[in-house]
Structures are given as structure tokens and as C-alpha cells.
Amino acid sequence: MIEACQAGKDVYVEKPLGNSIAECRAMVAAVEQNKSIVQVGQWQRSQQHFRDAVAFVHSGKLGKIRLVKAWAYQGWMKSIPVKPDAPVPAGVNYDMWLGPAKKQPFNPNRFHFDFRWYWDYAGGLMTDWGVHMLDYALLGMKASKPISIMASGGKFAYPQDAAQTPDTLTTVYEFEGFNIQWEHATGIDGGPYGKDHGVAFIGNNGTLVLNRNGWEVIPEKGRMEGVAFQRAVDDGLDLHAVNFIEAVKSRDPSVLNCPVKAGAEIAIFSQMGNIAYRTGKKIYWNPDTWSFSDAEADQLISAPYHNGYRLPKV
């Protein structure tokens, strides 16, 4: 994405924006320096029912919100079997595919789709589904950087398979006056409120539950009126692409539904959860210095690159 911006291109870049906090910051800087129009693929931001649900949260009708839960229970995700290294497939420029990531022999598990479960290229379900659901947790709470992060989980479902990232994880982000909790599990569909993915804003008067299918409000008895399930009525992914093209035509980045700074914010937020998991510590974030309270956590702010690549200075 940085090289495309430097070449004067506009970019639709998939989520998560980057694979480290340092990468996200460098990508934001590249957009600002080159005046590119960049849309990040957080496409729920273009879907009407997500916006309607957040507007209801902001109305205050739920009362004081003390906890926001976001989750992805992915029953279709089975074990990743261990496979031997193999020759690079014909027509694949493997060096280009790897980019600056660590040099590795070609392995089909690290290639299309399943690359998600290797730290060299991705962050597991936390940065795959988490950036979607947690994005709306932050929007609903008008929140940004947490005070502290702690996480616990592991490879509990498939301990012997080839994946590196945890198949089961719970992460707690502390804010002033409320917490945001992320949880994921593979091989299981039975998530909170009977939904395999979603966000729940738990208030004193009621709970709003939101996912890609729609939203509803479950009232606390006698405290508010519930809201029946409001079904999704449009295609957020298509609308997100249209929004990008409109911004390109107008040369106005302010019309983007997910500009690069928004994409960076949620990618960094999710990466903080992974850093807490990988260190096994409760970590504290200092927004002024862009660093953690822990030296081990700080080592994971940027990724090691095999080819001497240096991120643009921020």
C-alpha cells in the first residue's frame, strides 16, 4: 500500500490495515504524505443497520453501558493439518508474496487463506474477525485507545495442528468507566446470545445485540422497551466499494466511510490484544509515547523483516 501511494495511486486496502502497530502508523503517514484516497475494507461502516444500531447506542436509551462484548465463534473452522513443505506453485512469485516477512520454505498452510493463522503474516481471528466487530464496539462507545489490555487463551481445540495463533481467546480492554471484551473460538458456533458473531452493548436499561444480520434490544425488565430484530437491508461490501469510487472521483477523502486513520485505529487496537496474549501480561498503553509499560510488549510493536526493509519514518 505504501509503494502504491508513493506511485501516486489510490488504494482500496483490505483489513486489517497492517500486521503491526508500526506498519499501521507508516501506512497512515504514506497516505498523508502522498494525498492518496485510501479506503480500508471495514465494510460494515457502509451498512445501514450498523449505523442505525450505533445511533441507538448513542441515544442513551440503554443507560450507562458498563461492558461491551464482541465475539466470533467460527464453527466451520476445523483443524489445520500439518503439511510438509512443498515446491513453489507454478506462476507464483514467492519472494513477492512474502514481501519483507521472514524467509520460509513454501508451505501450503502458509499460503492462500490459511496464512491468517501465522504470526509472520497475520494475527488469527483477533485481526481477522476482531477488526470488524471491535470496530463497532469502539464506534458505539466513542472510544479509542485503552488504558490496559490483558488476554488469555491458547490452542485448546486443536493443540497439535499447524496453526500458530490461538483457537480460543478472551481479551479484556480497560477504559475509564467500562470494559470492552473480545472472545473467539474455532470449531464452535454457539456464541453469546445464540449468535456466532456480534457485538453486545450491555447497559443498565437493556442490551443491544448487533451483527451482520441485524440488531435488536433486549430490555432489562421494567426499565425500557425492547426493540424487535431489525434485519439488514443492504449489501455493505458493495456500498463500501461505491463509497471508495465516489471519493476517488471527487478527490475528497472526507467522504470515505473508513479512511486510513480509522482502519489503523482498529487494526492497532486488535494487535494490542494479540500482544497482551503473546506476552502473557497485563499491559498498559502510553498514547503520548506510542509504547507499552513493558519492554517485551514493545518488542512486538514492529515486525522483524528479513530483507532489510525499513518502514518510512513517522
Side-chain angles (χ1 to χ4, degrees):
M1 194 218 78
I2 290 172
E3 291 177 349
C5 292
Q6 290 171 342
K9 306 299 182 182
D10 298 320
V11 184
Y12 185 107
V13 58
E14 267 300 353
K15 58 81 204 169
L17 180 66
N19 195 36
S20 71
I21 293 173
E23 284 181 6
C24 291
R25 295 190 71 197
M27 293 165 89
V28 170
V31 174
E32 293 176 341
Q33 291 163 7
N34 295 283
K35 309 301 182 185
S36 298
I37 303 294
V38 175
Q39 175 93 301
V40 184
Q42 307 284 155
W43 56 264
Q44 278 98 181
R45 284 176 172 245
S46 293
Q47 199 157 23
Q48 188 60 49
H49 79 275
F50 274 91
R51 294 178 171 185
D52 293 342
V54 165
F56 191 97
V57 172
H58 291 169
S59 75
K61 294 177 182 177
L62 296 174
K64 167 68 175 176
I65 298 172
R66 294 178 286 178
L67 175 63
V68 183
K69 289 186 177 183
W71 67 91
Y73 279 58
Q74 301 297 291
W76 60 270
M77 287 184 57
K78 308 305 180 186
S79 175
I80 307 298
V82 176
K83 296 178 181 178
D85 294 337
V88 177
V92 173
N93 184 333
Y94 187 51
D95 283 341
M96 178 67 78
W97 188 91
L98 278 175
K102 293 177 184 177
K103 283 287 189 182
Q104 297 277 357
F106 179 85
N107 189 288
N109 279 337
R110 288 175 169 261
F111 201 42
H112 290 327
F113 191 82
D114 286 333
F115 72 84
R116 289 165 168 79
W117 324 129
Y118 292 87
W119 296 120
D120 287 344
Y121 325 118
L125 273 177
M126 170 63 89
T127 55
D128 192 51
W129 270 88
V131 290
H132 283 308
M133 299 297 104
L134 288 167
D135 188 30
Y136 262 84
L138 293 179
L139 285 169
M141 299 306 292
K142 300 181 180 180
S144 179
K145 300 295 187 296
I147 299 168
S148 71
I149 315 99
M150 57 183 177
S152 180
K155 293 182 61 175
F156 299 158
Y158 312 120
Q160 304 303 321
D161 80 353
Q164 292 178 340
T165 58
D167 55 45
T168 308
L169 184 67
T170 301
T171 306
V172 178
Y173 298 89
E174 176 194 5
F175 291 86
E176 189 68 42
F178 66 93
N179 284 346
I180 293 178
Q181 176 180 304
W182 166 257
E183 56 185 83
H184 74 238
T186 62
I188 302 172
D189 278 326
Y193 305 95
K195 302 182 187 300
D196 63 4
H197 73 284
V199 186
F201 298 90
I202 303 170
N204 286 340
N205 297 337
T207 297
L208 186 148
V209 183
L210 164 69
N211 70 7
R212 289 177 172 177
N213 300 318
W215 64 279
E216 63 184 319
V217 174
I218 304 167
E220 290 289 328
K221 189 174 181 180
R223 296 186 185 178
M224 70 176 296
E225 293 293 323
V227 176
F229 190 72
Q230 305 294 300
R231 194 170 299 278
V233 296
D234 54 21
D235 188 319
L237 187 55
D238 284 353
L239 291 172
H240 210 52
V242 170
N243 175 245
F244 171 57
I245 297 301
E246 289 173 344
V248 169
K249 287 181 175 179
S250 67
R251 308 309 304 163
D252 182 3
S254 70
V255 306
L256 289 165
N257 288 339
C258 192
V260 69
K261 282 188 175 180
E265 184 168 275
I266 186 55
I268 289 170
F269 188 77
S270 297
Q271 288 155 2
M272 287 176 173
N274 274 337
I275 290 171
Y277 165 73
R278 295 176 74 179
T279 60
K281 301 173 182 177
K282 184 176 184 179
I283 53 177
Y284 294 81
W285 178 250
N286 186 329
D288 296 323
T289 61
W290 280 83
S291 63
F292 292 104
S293 59
D294 180 80
E296 184 182 2
D298 280 344
Q299 290 296 311
L300 296 172
I301 287 177
S302 59
Y305 296 135
H306 79 270
N307 60 1
Y309 178 75
R310 294 289 182 269
L311 290 170
K313 290 185 178 180
V314 177

